[in-house]
Amino acid sequence: STLWLVPRQTAGIRPGSPFDGLGLRGNDSCGIIAEDVRVDESARLGLNTAGPDRLDRLLEALGLDRSERDIIGDSLQDWRDPNEAQRLHGAESDFYLALPVPYRARNGNLQDAAELLQIRGVTPALYRGTGERPGLGELVTAAAVSAVNLNTASPLVLKALGLADAEIADVVQTRVRAPYPSVPGRFAGRGLAVGSSVFRIEAEGWVAGSRRSHAIAIVQRGRTDAPLEATILTWRPGGEP
């Protein structure tokens, strides 16, 4: 049998909820099971929107030393800026073209968080995490997220926004009892919000007990003319690299 994970509108299956952006299509009558995990993308730090100081605090929380953080921070800025002028600790196309498999810096915003693996200083272990710490890829997003959701962000992301350990502990304890209906005044100006419209959907398709397909989609809920519909922003077959 053959199984595809495709955008829901391509599959011809009407979405079951505002978050439901993936569909399945098979070429026979065998049993098909779809499993998906929906994650609030606004719980992550925006790679294209957060300032260098916030990324630096996140990397520090992940245990990186000053020199490692300087290389990644400058290299990320070099990757995103429109020129080939290299920062003190950064890297531009000259650096990447000298690698065994050469490529150029994008010189634009990241299209996917997995691009971090192409940026100087970001190792697979840092991106994917280890048994002792989460991966950087779990904490950041390339989606146009302008504010972090106070109700869903991890303590590491809250630390990146500059919250003190006592403030983070208070947030975590409070939101367990009930979500914040609004951002408390003491957190004003910290890049926080209490709602989300962008979500990550990771889906797996199984046939006869075997996984046949895997995909990740970033979807945005609601448009001015269709507030309950979801728009697929990015689509990656195969899941995380």
Side-chain angles (χ1 to χ4, degrees):
S1 63
T2 302
L3 172 67
W4 299 270
L5 278 172
V6 295
R8 173 71 65 174
Q9 58 268 33
T10 305
I13 304 172
R14 184 174 180 177
S17 77
F19 312 128
D20 199 353
L22 302 182
L24 292 170
R25 182 173 60 199
N27 69 346
D28 55 29
S29 59
C30 66
I32 295 176
I33 301 174
E35 295 184 356
D36 64 71
V37 178
R38 300 158 188 172
V39 181
D40 178 13
E41 199 72 358
S42 297
R44 301 175 178 228
L45 190 69
L47 289 168
N48 296 319
T49 55
D53 57 329
R54 291 179 173 177
L55 177 65
D56 185 74
R57 284 194 292 264
L58 180 60
L59 294 174
E60 183 178 18
L62 288 172
L64 274 68
D65 62 32
R66 177 81 265 173
S67 61
E68 293 173 310
R69 304 199 311 268
D70 285 344
I71 289 172
I72 295 173
D74 279 5
S75 297
L76 175 59
Q77 292 183 75
D78 282 339
W79 186 268
R80 292 182 55 232
D81 67 29
N83 58 56
E84 291 289 347
Q86 182 174 315
R87 288 171 171 79
L88 178 62
H89 304 287
E92 287 284 2
S93 293
D94 286 349
F95 175 86
Y96 301 114
L97 289 171
L99 297 176
V101 179
Y103 53 91
R104 292 185 176 275
R106 177 177 288 281
N107 291 337
N109 281 342
L110 281 74
Q111 302 300 301
D112 191 295
E115 276 185 55
L116 285 172
L117 289 166
Q118 298 177 264
I119 294 175
R120 182 186 179 193
V122 180
T123 65
L126 173 61
Y127 181 82
R128 300 187 181 104
T130 65
E132 300 176 352
R133 69 182 183 188
L136 180 60
E138 303 171 36
L139 304 170
V140 296
T141 178
V145 173
S146 58
V148 171
N149 190 344
L150 182 63
N151 288 312
T152 56
S154 72
L156 287 173
V157 172
L158 294 175
K159 197 169 188 67
L161 296 181
L163 273 69
D165 290 342
E167 292 176 316
I168 294 170
D170 181 56
V171 166
V172 172
Q173 292 173 7
T174 299
R175 69 189 188 188
V176 166
R177 296 191 294 268
Y180 283 93
S182 61
V183 177
R186 67 184 185 278
F187 297 140
R190 311 284 278 275
L192 289 163
V194 293
S196 302
S197 63
V198 182
F199 299 86
R200 172 180 300 247
I201 301 176
E202 185 168 357
E204 295 181 345
W206 295 74
V207 176
S210 299
R211 192 178 83 167
R212 296 297 182 87
S213 194
H214 186 200
I216 294 175
I218 308 298
V219 302
Q220 184 164 15
R221 179 183 61 184
R223 302 193 310 266
T224 302
D225 59 337
L228 295 181
E229 290 190 7
T231 301
I232 296 176
L233 302 178
T234 64
W235 171 267
R236 187 201 306 151
E240 287 285 3

